[in-house]
Amino acid sequence: MEALTIALVVDVTLNWRSSLTGALGAVATLAVIVATFGVALVQFVPLDVLRLVVGILLILFGLKWLKKALLRASDFKALHDEEAIFEERMAEIRARGAQPEARFLPFGVALSYKAVLLEGLEVAFIVITFGSSAATTLAQKSSGIASAALGAACAGLLVILAGALMLNTFGTFWAGEGLGVDWPAADLFLLVLGALYLLASALLVLWLKQVKQRQQKQESFAPVTGNAEIKEAQR
Amino acid sequence: MKVIKAIYQFLVGDLVILVGVIIEVITLAILKTVPALAALKMVSRVILVLAVLFILLATLKRETGQ
């Protein structure tokens, strides 16, 4: 979503040619990365090492996404901050003195390319890691890839939360297998892990909402207390 | 330095998560490799799950200033 916003800023502020060229270039680069690394990983990296690395990476991504989703669900973070990103990037481009022109602008192409590549790379990384874990069943793979792709494609809070939970679930499972953990009931334990993380997330949202309410109360009382102190001092 | 920072931002962007996961993995690797700690291997799955939840709680606490 952020990539789309930045590409849009380049389109509005400079020109559509630079924006589109940068975005298409990034998509092509991502396609090459997925095609190359997806195959190479499975063929050349031992399974245990692959599981461990994939698991750790998924936990890292999953925790990052889950943190963001929980903060959004509890109003600590805005649900949609694209407007702020738009304004920020537009100010950045104008500060450089760039003007709308019909010709290709390398700066615009680079900005659009970088934004799409960076955000797309995160998704590509997840898709590669899910796809390359050769020991997984077809059901695991498809559900994992589907959740990752869904999380990437949609910006909806619930979808991001579901994606983050999936990443954490699969990440914990694979990292555990890589570290010699024997999961009870084998692959079925994924369901238990998923339910556990879902429950923990629900409890964390409740806790965060309470914290937010407490902070809002303190903020609303602060000026009143301040006034009372001033009045007391004036007396 | 710039490259390392960019990779860090891309992968995690949160020091609590990064350090937490590193400690977790090292702990579990020790449990796996040291024969004297073989008895604790049974609880390694519990440690793994609890550590993930603890890292999440720690990073949320930091974000909310608690």
Side-chain angles (χ1 to χ4, degrees), chain A residues 59 63 66 168 171-172 197, chain B residues 21 24 46-58:
Chain A
I59 291 176
L63 282 174
L66 196 54
N168 270 313
T172 309
Y197 284 138
Chain B
V21 171
E24 177 189 10
V46 181
I47 294 173
L48 179 60
V49 176
L50 285 182
V52 171
L53 291 174
F54 179 76
I55 294 165
L56 183 62
L57 183 66

Side-chain angles (χ1 to χ4, degrees), chain A residues 64 67 179 182 196 215, chain B residues 10 12 14 45 59 63-64:
Chain A
K64 188 167 81 165
K67 180 183 88 173
L179 287 162
D182 291 320
L196 196 72
Q215 285 182 354
Chain B
F10 169 68
V12 231
D14 187 322
R45 53 175 168 247
T59 185
E63 287 288 331
T64 56

Side-chain angles (χ1 to χ4, degrees), chain A residues 36-174:
Chain A
T36 326
F37 282 90
V39 177
L41 274 176
V42 180
Q43 285 181 346
F44 301 111
V45 184
L47 189 59
D48 271 349
V49 178
L50 195 62
R51 275 177 181 161
L52 182 62
V53 175
V54 165
I56 292 169
L57 283 174
L58 290 183
I59 291 176
L60 288 176
F61 279 126
L63 282 174
K64 188 167 81 165
W65 283 24
L66 196 54
K67 180 183 88 173
K68 220 183 267 183
L70 293 180
L71 289 173
R72 282 185 171 160
S74 52
D75 297 332
F76 267 100
K77 214 171 178 182
L79 270 180
H80 295 286
D81 45 9
E82 282 78 29
E83 209 173 307
I85 295 166
F86 188 91
E87 295 294 335
E88 193 184 314
R89 292 294 174 164
M90 195 176 249
E92 207 176 285
I93 293 172
R94 285 190 175 146
R96 285 177 64 103
Q99 295 294 325
E101 287 179 47
R103 67 187 175 90
F104 280 109
L105 292 168
F107 167 65
V109 176
L111 195 64
S112 178
Y113 179 84
K114 196 178 139 194
V116 176
L117 185 74
L118 273 179
E119 200 162 324
L121 210 55
E122 195 168 312
V123 180
F125 223 65
I126 294 165
V127 172
I128 287 172
T129 51
F130 268 112
S132 62
S133 193
T136 57
T137 64
L138 188 64
Q140 278 181 335
K141 270 191 193 174
S142 51
S143 64
I145 292 171
S147 75
L150 263 177
C154 309
L157 181 62
L158 273 178
V159 180
I160 292 175
L161 189 61
L165 285 171
M166 279 284 204
L167 292 182
N168 270 313
T169 304
F170 280 88
T172 309
F173 189 82
W174 283 331

Side-chain angles (χ1 to χ4, degrees), chain A residues 186-203:
Chain A
D187 290 354
L188 276 178
F189 199 76
L190 279 166
L191 296 174
V192 180
L193 273 178
L196 196 72
Y197 284 138
L198 181 65
L199 179 69
S201 299
L203 291 173

